[in-house]
Amino acid sequence: MSANATGTRVRTKKTTDPFTRLESEVRSYCRSFPVRWRAARNATLISDDGTEYIDFLAGCSSLNYGHNDPDMKAALIAYLNEDGIAHGLDMHTEAKAAFLQAFGDIVLKPRNMDYRLQFTGPTGANAVEAALKLARRVTGRTNVIAFTNGFHGVSTAALAVTANRYHRAASGAALNYVTRMPYDGYFGEDTDTAEQIRHILSDPSGGVDPPAAFILETVQGEGGLKTASAAWMRSIQALAKESGALMIVDDIQAGCGRTGTFFSFEKMGVEPDMILLAKSLSGMGLPLSMVLIKPEHDRWRPGEHNGSFRGNNHAFVTARVALQKFWSDSGAGLDLERKSQNLQSALENIGSRHGLTLRGRGMFQGIDLKTSEIAAAVSQKCFEQRLIIELSGAHDEILKVLAPLTTPGEQMERGLKIIAESVDEIFGKALYTASSNTD
Amino acid sequence: MSANATGTRVRTKKTTDPFTRLESEVRSYCRSFPVRWRAARNATLISDDGTEYIDFLAGCSSLNYGHNDPDMKAALIAYLNEDGIAHGLDMHTEAKAAFLQAFGDIVLKPRNMDYRLQFTGPTGANAVEAALKLARRVTGRTNVIAFTNGFHGVSTAALAVTANRYHRAASGAALNYVTRMPYDGYFGEDTDTAEQIRHILSDPSGGVDPPAAFILETVQGEGGLKTASAAWMRSIQALAKESGALMIVDDIQAGCGRTGTFFSFEKMGVEPDMILLAKSLSGMGLPLSMVLIKPEHDRWRPGEHNGSFRGNNHAFVTARVALQKFWSDSGAGLDLERKSQNLQSALENIGSRHGLTLRGRGMFQGIDLKTSEIAAAVSQKCFEQRLIIELSGAHDEILKVLAPLTTPGEQMERGLKIIAESVDEIFGKALYTASSNTD
Amino acid sequence: MSANATGTRVRTKKTTDPFTRLESEVRSYCRSFPVRWRAARNATLISDDGTEYIDFLAGCSSLNYGHNDPDMKAALIAYLNEDGIAHGLDMHTEAKAAFLQAFGDIVLKPRNMDYRLQFTGPTGANAVEAALKLARRVTGRTNVIAFTNGFHGVSTAALAVTANRYHRAASGAALNYVTRMPYDGYFGEDTDTAEQIRHILSDPSGGVDPPAAFILETVQGEGGLKTASAAWMRSIQALAKESGALMIVDDIQAGCGRTGTFFSFEKMGVEPDMILLAKSLSGMGLPLSMVLIKPEHDRWRPGEHNGSFRGNNHAFVTARVALQKFWSDSGAGLDLERKSQNLQSALENIGSRHGLTLRGRGMFQGIDLKTSEIAAAVSQKCFEQRLIIELSGAHDEILKVLAPLTTPGEQMERGLKIIAESVDEIFGKALYTASSNTD
Amino acid sequence: MSANATGTRVRTKKTTDPFTRLESEVRSYCRSFPVRWRAARNATLISDDGTEYIDFLAGCSSLNYGHNDPDMKAALIAYLNEDGIAHGLDMHTEAKAAFLQAFGDIVLKPRNMDYRLQFTGPTGANAVEAALKLARRVTGRTNVIAFTNGFHGVSTAALAVTANRYHRAASGAALNYVTRMPYDGYFGEDTDTAEQIRHILSDPSGGVDPPAAFILETVQGEGGLKTASAAWMRSIQALAKESGALMIVDDIQAGCGRTGTFFSFEKMGVEPDMILLAKSLSGMGLPLSMVLIKPEHDRWRPGEHNGSFRGNNHAFVTARVALQKFWSDSGAGLDLERKSQNLQSALENIGSRHGLTLRGRGMFQGIDLKTSEIAAAVSQKCFEQRLIIELSGAHDEILKVLAPLTTPGEQMERGLKIIAESVDEIFGKALYTASSNTD
């Protein structure tokens, strides 16, 4: 158990703790938050001894509508009671039909978007794998352009486009077929990285092979809440068109309302060739992922990309309810603009007291705490106050607020207060000075 | 059914069929079995108009205990009602603890097996990806030996070890780091392929780099129900040891009782370094996969292989019930030996009438129908008789019986009778003669 | 001339021209300069009908001391007459001993350089292949950083570090294990590309794997005579040290005096881990290449990198004479500083008349003619005036003067006059205006 | 210096020996034969102190016509005296024209062969690189089938098709895009490996991607003088045709008369799509290599595969003389059939005395000495008797006789006598018993 944990939390002797005894060393979040969870409702996590925690982790944005939304839960129980299909490979089921219909009516049609839906294996990484395959087929090219600080998953092709060195180093074999390029703002405000990319791609001796695709996030969730501007996104789209490549927006973490709109790029004037969704797509945290493909690129032959779990019908049920409940009104009921502003104000308050920079946008914001030591100390301090919150960024230096979009106002304030106090305390302790030269 | 749906459900009118309109061309099973399913119980699938079909597809062996097992269903509903954690990343939950405990007590301990459990993304392919990474790290090598007709999934590293040309051709970029070797019996009974592999690996000029791992199935589910003998499996294990490689048994399709025992290799005298499970692991078709790792190889650092859905708590709940219900007695209640013999007798009967060869073992058997045309005709004929059954093999020439292990005797007989009649009819029509030279 | 040739030598009659009839379409220079050459002396090429041309191509800098230097020729004839070893694999020969001794005494010792010499297959590309292998072994890493507009040869690993799209596209399979970075000045004077590289390499989420090596030229011969500053070279050296990578200077085209000193980086304050030489190394154009390796990196085991022609003894003979004749006085007799200034003045004159930019340094200079059309027209015009001169750059837009370092002053002036007149004529014809928007 | 060498051979103090002081550890043959060579004539090598050795190494078959053939030497001296072009890139020269003409008239025409000639960089490896690129372009595929014990060079693509582990291990990065297959006889006489390859290639689930090419030797020079039968070669040719792949015969070591005919496959009834020549092509050991391409596959664009030394004019001069002198009569003057029979009789004599197996064919034969220890001892014993002879095979267990084809009869006998006595002595010393279990 964690050195941070007080002895009271050790419920069982080590030999009888099934996690320590049986689970691989690869386990991670359970090390930061050494609690055994019993239940959860919306933004509240409840431990085995009944203690309540505020959940600002939200399954890394897989729980944008909180835990166990009552409507989704009810629909799923009803579905179970009626012996609805749980597993149907990619056969037609009523649950899938209903989801397709809802996605078409609620998401695509109002946005004038024309896409085909591919259900890959239910992880985001699998959606990435499928999208890269398809882009390579469509273009007949192999090279894919990915960005600094991008994170797209850890299966081989997804890992190849992922920037994080810790994860890449675990690949066991060199990761190929990808060119890394600087994200928006990577070299500071004065450098237009899209212009640099254009320069090198249009140079016959630039040394970068013509790309099959650009894959990118609009807000880099794992990469430290770095954001792309609308102008830069449009430049990348233009570049993709010029160079005969597809533009793939990985909206796995930033999508499903996290930035304030259903898709993260809605107001940016771009029209990606493919869009990847997963995480909060199912609404209550069930595995489900999806590739949205412009019809002209839907060059798949039947079953070429397959998998046992490429249709998770339970997830279709809850995903449909999520769309109907939260997006029939274009998300108005979620009131995300106001919530985002409140979040930003609160974080600005904290930031201004200590000279800290804010990151991200919408309900996808955080504070740059400058070093991983400080950030870890703040997160630990929050945890002691029963707030679960995680870190992000190349150095795990960003405190990332991933509160459910449905977090009640009072609980949100309570959580933000815990963050404020924790940051104040840590900076009061002058930890910053001590470890400011960590780089 | 969707709140949006009006009940008209005109499947054939293109404009209102959400599948045709919205789903990618990649969809496949739904093309062979163009029915919209509403519900399912054990081995019975029920269409939207109430028609019942026998399900000898069983989610490609993801539904070894049938659809919607009442005990699993009840446990899941109870869990939902108590607001049990649905999504918890890899944090400790009570559902996970209970599963770990059950797996240790019911599966590992009675078999004197000592393994660590890694929960990867919930697909089999993800388990393959994780295992290959780990084998490469443990050995410091990249080359992996995979086998003719092997099938391990379609994400990049999994696809690289998969043999099927159709799926490989969809990769979009060359698949590397893998050496293909002949499976047991690949060159006929007289050729000991393990001896050939030893020959080439022990030859410093054999041209095959020292391997990190051998990855293989004991019965090749997608590859046409080819089986490995115990002796050959032991030879491969010996070869792995001699060459400093790990032996990875992919038991994703053959495991969880399909061959008659929980693991497919139980009576073979081998002790794999890693074992992969998925498909029927969750018991009722929910996405869940797992890598079993010998403790000495558990060289992961925290979070190196991660993913949003690496702990599917709903699946932990049902998986635990599956273990408790079906395996506490070592599977005795499933009575698989008798069922397997019945299946074999029935298939032998069919085979002997038409000079057809049987494939597979246990509840994992099929008939070689010689050509894809015949096989497709038989499958179609079965479908007309309301039996869902799929094909397998390099040429889709094997009719593969994947009945739930829990299929009631009477229904099993009915299904087998449909198969027998369909084969008889097709061969009566002398289709075989007509298309025997298709190759 | 061949004993078989009858003297008719009708170049244009297809049936009797052996080149058209028998040589692959891959031939190239012979297309730009369709002359059959009989003999050559210093900077003069003589055609089969006795016409003399000035050679400002010089075997792409393989003939820095001109054609058939009388002393080298005499030494080689003497060696032949004494039945000196022509081919000895990598055995000890007197010719090799004498070359080693001369290289140690004349090149290494006066410069306080401590390197081991590896004779690879006699092409520059083979030296590149060997150096990359060794860097990967020494560091245990695979990623190699190469630069925009870099050119290092066309065998697979050399091609992977080469930037030119035309050559890369001929690879037939994706080129891996390399990260492309911007060369000095690539994004204009205001952007410090070394600083950008440092930024991305020191970012744990920069997405660039720790490199085994940086491979670069100080002047990019094929890339359009782009030059690296001493400060930038030192930054790259520092970066290599910081990141645990080796610095490999490819001095194949820029070395052997071309820039004014024996090595192109002599005055830059850098000490490469490996240095590659080929082209003019043998002195009279015989195939010979070499990797200079800092002793601490000489981790080769015997024969690991081998090849039938890894010791070209004829080339050792002429290479030794070249060192003794031209470098015993540190190159003073070549008077390169004065010659370079003259060259520069002449080119500046031309450039200033037409607003054209100069490229390169030392005897490695050229003029940017802005488009490939203009450049081709100028080159063709020069050829009509019996001057052989080639193009370089991403768009073949740079007229590259590669006169032998030994070109007599009068001939040099004559050649430069032809260039001047050709440029004047082409620009007089306003070709520039017409095709300035070619990009 | 070698542990085997007596102190008398150490001519110079270590500090003044330029080889030890300055040459990379990669040097190899000079370790086995620690003599400094001064001169050589035909099959005789002369050391710096005038001692004569018989050369049965012959530059690893780069000196099939012996050292310093007087006619080639005279032609080269004449060429030098006339200031013939030494280095002309790929421009037309009289020396090249004459070679092309001679190759067409003497080699191609009498054999009814229609090929285009590509002069790559002058090493065999470079010819391999070029051929693989072209095969990949022509077929649009990447996978290349190469064989156990094959050796094709050490640049990256050549190394990928090479089987030797020692050389592969020096690559520093995984070698990709190649499938290894068993050579003729690899699994013993009873196994038709071509049939196995056909089986796996024609199996859509065999797991081997459709190949761009088969690359193979007819006699595996480095691989231990294993030979392919004509029937097997025809099977491979048929397989290549069936699978849409090109057949590339690497005749670099086996060509130029070594097996008794100019090409090693002349009597086999095959017509390769590409043929690779190097080593003895130039006749006197000068670097020269060539790809022969069937006209319909000559899909190169100008300069796509280039290199500074892709036309070695000195080598064109000597290569032309070699063709005219030795092959105008189809090799009759070389009397290779008789010489080969004599060689075989002598080796059979030795072999029969000690139960040793012969390998190879023509003037490309050797004895399997069973272990590297015995083979090294025999080679060392020969060296003490002033015979230079090398080893080959996966374990360096084959004593390989590579006498010049022009070795005078008396000298040939003397060399074979030394071999016989050395083998007798070593086996008399019962070394075989002592180390027979080395494997």
Side-chain angles (χ1 to χ4, degrees), chain C residues 2 22-26 28-29 40 73 83 90 92 96 117 129 133 154 156 166 174 177 279 298 302-303 308, chain D residues 22-26 28-29 40 73 83 90 96 98 117 129 133 154 156 166 174 177 279 298 302-303 308:
Chain C
S2 157
L22 285 169
E23 200 175 357
S24 162
E25 292 298 327
V26 79
S28 61
Y29 282 104
K73 209 174 76 170
D83 282 327
D90 68 352
H92 296 162
K96 190 184 195 175
L117 281 58
E129 297 267 341
K133 281 185 186 180
V154 300
T156 300
Y166 183 72
Y177 307 131
K279 287 192 178 266
D298 185 21
S308 295
Chain D
L22 283 170
E23 201 175 359
S24 161
E25 292 298 326
V26 80
S28 61
Y29 283 104
K73 208 175 78 170
D83 283 328
D90 68 351
K96 189 183 195 176
L117 282 58
E129 297 267 341
K133 281 185 186 180
V154 300
T156 299
Y166 183 72
Y177 307 130
K279 286 192 178 268
D298 185 21
S308 295

Side-chain angles (χ1 to χ4, degrees), chain D residues 347-403:
Chain D
L347 295 179
E348 277 172 355
N349 245 324
I350 300 169
S352 64
R353 279 205 298 284
H354 305 288
L356 303 171
T357 311
L358 259 57
R359 300 269 182 221
R361 61 184 175 88
M363 292 296 281
F364 206 20
Q365 298 190 60
I367 314 176
D368 185 340
L369 292 172
K370 302 196 174 176
T371 75
S372 62
E373 286 79 2
I374 298 173
V378 168
S379 170
Q380 172 61 21
K381 188 64 64 186
C382 290
F383 177 59
E384 288 165 14
Q385 301 304 311
R386 299 188 183 154
L387 174 71
I388 303 292
I389 187 163
E390 77 156 334
L391 308 176
S392 142
H395 300 275
D396 277 341
E397 78 282 20
I398 310 289
L399 192 77
K400 179 164 74 163
V401 181
L402 281 176

